[in-house]
Amino acid sequence: MRRTPEPYLWLLFSGGGVVAALVLPVLVLLFGVLMPLGVVDWPTAGHLGALVGNVVVRVVLLVVVVLCLFHAAHRIRFTSEELLGIARFDPIIAVLCYGGAIAGGVIAATLMV
Amino acid sequence: MTVAYRPRRDRLWFARTRSYTLFVLRELTSVFVAWAVAFTLMLLAAVLGGTLPQFAALAARPWMIALNVVALAATVFHAVTFLNLAPKATVVRLDGWRVPAWMIQGGNHTAWALVSLLVAYLVLRTP
C-alpha cells in the first residue's frame, strides 16, 4: 500500500481544532473586542512582556500557533476546493495552505527566540 | 469527435439546504482561526518590539473591532461545533461501558471554560 501523509495531516488538523477551540475565543474576546472597546483596560507593556518572557508561555504560544495554523490550512484546502470547484489544483493548493502554516510557525519562532 | 460527459456543477450547492449552509459556515471558521492567530502574532510582535500603544490604536479602529467581533463569533462557533464533535471521533470505553457523548462534550466544554479563565487571569491580573 502506498504511504501517504494524509493521516498525519488529519491528526494535526484535529489537534489544532481542539487547541483553537480552547484558546482562541478568549484571546479574540480580550485583545480584539473588550480592550479596544474600553470595557477592560489594556495591561501594561511590562506585564505582557513579563508574561511572554516566561519560557512555558513561549512554548505554549508556539504550539498553539503551529497547531491552529495547520488546522486552518487543512480546512481551507478542502473548503476552497469544494466551494470553488478547484479540486483539480489540489497539489498547488495544498502547498500554498501548508506552506502558509509553516511560514506562520517560522515567524512565531523567530519572534520569540 | 466524442467528448467525455461532465455533469454540470451546481455552483450554489451550499445555499440549497440549511444543513449545507451550516456546514460551509463551520468550514469557513477556519479563515478566522487563521486570522486570530495572525492577530495574536501581531500582538506578540508589538509586545516584544515595544510598540504596544501602536497595536492598541490599530485594534481600536472601527473596522478592526468589527472584524474581530466576526472573528469572535466564528471562533466560538468553531469551538462549540468542534468540541461537540469529539464523541463521534473517539469512542471511550471503561471496562466495556461506553462513556456517553454528553459526558465527553461536558468535559470538553469544562476544559474550554477553565482554559479561558486561566488565560484571562494571566492577562488581566495586576501584579
Side-chain angles (χ1 to χ4, degrees):
Chain A
M1 200 172 75
R2 202 168 68 89
R3 290 176 68 92
T4 80
E6 289 292 320
Y8 304 102
L9 294 175
W10 280 100
L11 201 65
L12 282 169
F13 164 77
S14 50
V18 172
V19 170
L22 297 180
V23 178
L24 293 185
V26 68
L27 288 179
V28 178
L29 177 68
L30 286 174
F31 292 104
V33 179
L34 293 185
M35 288 174 196
L37 286 177
V39 179
V40 294
D41 290 332
W42 282 91
T44 61
H47 174 57
L48 288 180
L51 198 60
V52 179
N54 188 302
V55 179
V56 179
V57 173
R58 283 187 182 215
V59 172
V60 169
L61 268 176
L62 190 61
V63 170
V64 166
V65 166
V66 170
L67 282 181
C68 290
L69 284 181
F70 255 99
H71 169 86
H74 199 64
R75 241 179 189 175
I76 290 171
R77 172 186 168 196
F78 290 115
T79 306
S80 63
E81 290 173 10
E82 285 160 19
L83 214 54
L84 308 174
I86 48 174
R88 58 189 180 283
F89 301 118
D90 179 60
I92 305 168
I93 295 167
V95 167
L96 283 176
C97 288
Y98 301 126
I102 293 169
V106 171
I107 290 172
T110 47
L111 272 177
M112 289 190 287
V113 170
Chain B
M1 193 177 83
T2 53
V3 180
Y5 170 69
R6 285 215 180 82
R8 274 171 64 87
R9 210 185 115 74
D10 180 2
R11 289 182 187 279
L12 288 173
W13 61 268
F14 49 87
R16 300 290 179 216
T17 72
R18 201 177 130 78
S19 57
Y20 286 172
T21 309
L22 278 177
F23 164 75
V24 168
L25 281 179
R26 197 195 70 201
E27 296 293 298
L28 286 179
T29 60
S30 54
V31 177
F32 291 97
V33 165
W35 160 249
V37 172
F39 184 71
T40 306
L41 283 176
M42 285 157 64
L43 169 68
L44 189 66
V47 170
L48 294 172
T51 55
L52 190 60
Q54 286 90 321
F55 176 82
L58 175 69
R61 293 191 181 199
W63 64 268
M64 193 65 145
I65 295 177
L67 176 61
N68 277 325
V69 168
V70 178
L72 176 64
T75 49
V76 167
F77 187 48
H78 160 79
V80 172
T81 50
F82 209 83
L83 296 178
N84 279 345
L85 203 68
K88 293 212 166 68
T90 349
V91 174
V92 183
R93 281 183 195 283
L94 295 175
D95 205 12
W97 177 68
R98 180 171 172 176
V99 177
W102 65 268
M103 278 195 192
I104 300 176
Q105 291 165 340
N108 282 345
H109 288 285
T110 309
W112 181 21
L114 289 177
V115 170
S116 302
L117 283 174
L118 176 69
V119 171
Y121 168 74
L122 288 175
V123 169
L124 296 177
R125 79 188 158 133
T126 38

